Amino acid sequence: EEVMEAVHSSPAVCVFMPFDPKMGLKKELTHSLKTAADKVERELLKAYPAEMTRLITEKLRGIIHKLELNNHKKSIVIYVSPVFGKVLYLDVAVEEKIIVDESFEIRDLVYSKKQLHKYLVLLLSGSESRIYLVDANSFIRILSNTPEKVSAYINDAPEKVANFSDMSSRKEIITDKFLHHIDNSLGTILKTYQLPLFVLGSKKILGHFKSFTKHAGAIVEYVQGNYEETTMPDLKKILEPYVADWKKVIQKDLLNQIEDAAGKKKLAVGMREVWRKAMQRKGRLLIVEKNYVYAALHGSHEDIIYKAGKPNNEFSYIRDAVDEIIEKVLENGGDVEFVDKDILKDYRQIALVLFY
């Protein structure tokens, strides 16, 4: 909570740094941070007195010097102001960036997250399944430990076939068995990648798959057609219209995740409930409308708040409780996504998916 009070004294500096100590490039990271500190110093000198500049850059260099470089986070954010210094180690990737400003909003941090255009494609046909990880430059096949060909399931089906109608129901039993196995292995893949999923296949196969998949929450779109023989470049072309509006893909994926979490009783909705769960460190993914702000008053316990009327000077007044929730969720290893106005109208503007 102290961040929110302190960051309003000018100037405030914020350094975002992607952070992958696993690569063993500590030297490189230390160099990037040193360069960032030098840049901050130059920026500050343009607008602020030398004394103020020295105070802040010394504080920043002190923080950099003490950083834990062997943790397993993806990025780091350092805030420094004349009265305040803070480090957040995050599980989300960010672009390298420096902000020198009068004040700093935690929302700027979320806006500077790396927007990676990555998604998964599951290709289903009557004879096999394939799953790919796709980004701007590549189509990478993900190999699963489940047999990917229908033929592997033939021995599990009823043997005796007397006539044609039995024959086709036998084929259906085999196909269903195959699809169930695919759906089960999908669970592991989605846990690893946590990306929007597109499922491609014939009308009949998609119908079967849709009727029992446990992963509807991850599927952004079903794309109908027979793509068994389709080449990678052609598949990419087929998917282009579906991924062209990436923001729409992400928002649809987030709404799916919310519905999925609600079904599993792992969702908090509305400001007071979201605040409570965030303070209890239960937030895995916070989804909030972009311009939503909520002035509040602390209740009798730290996980209770009330909506505040006009701004006041009471000790318990919180200028924007949404900012505090964002910070809490990020600090505890969760992630934060913004969506457009009215996207969460059914969820009172703010929803929190809880850790499973």
Side-chain angles (χ1 to χ4, degrees), residues 65-80:
H65 186 65
K66 289 199 202 96
L67 286 177
E68 284 172 50
L69 295 186
N70 6 334
N71 66 43
H72 297 291
K73 300 293 187 179
K74 292 185 184 162
S75 59
I76 185 172
V77 181
I78 308 169
Y79 315 93
V80 188

Side-chain angles (χ1 to χ4, degrees), residues 186-239:
L186 203 51
T188 317
I189 291 168
L190 287 166
K191 254 201 185 92
T192 309
Y193 293 99
Q194 293 181 350
L195 291 169
L197 171 67
F198 292 84
V199 183
L200 281 61
S202 69
K203 186 177 179 177
K204 195 173 175 190
I205 286 251
L206 291 184
H208 272 278
F209 185 73
K210 242 184 238 188
S211 67
F212 60 70
T213 178
K214 298 193 291 288
H215 303 106
I219 299 165
V220 174
E221 203 74 64
Y222 290 93
V223 182
Q224 213 172 294
N226 189 354
Y227 301 116
E228 216 171 336
E229 306 298 323
T230 313
T231 63
M232 293 302 137
D234 285 344
L235 268 182
K236 205 147 190 194
K237 275 202 186 80
I238 287 156
L239 285 160

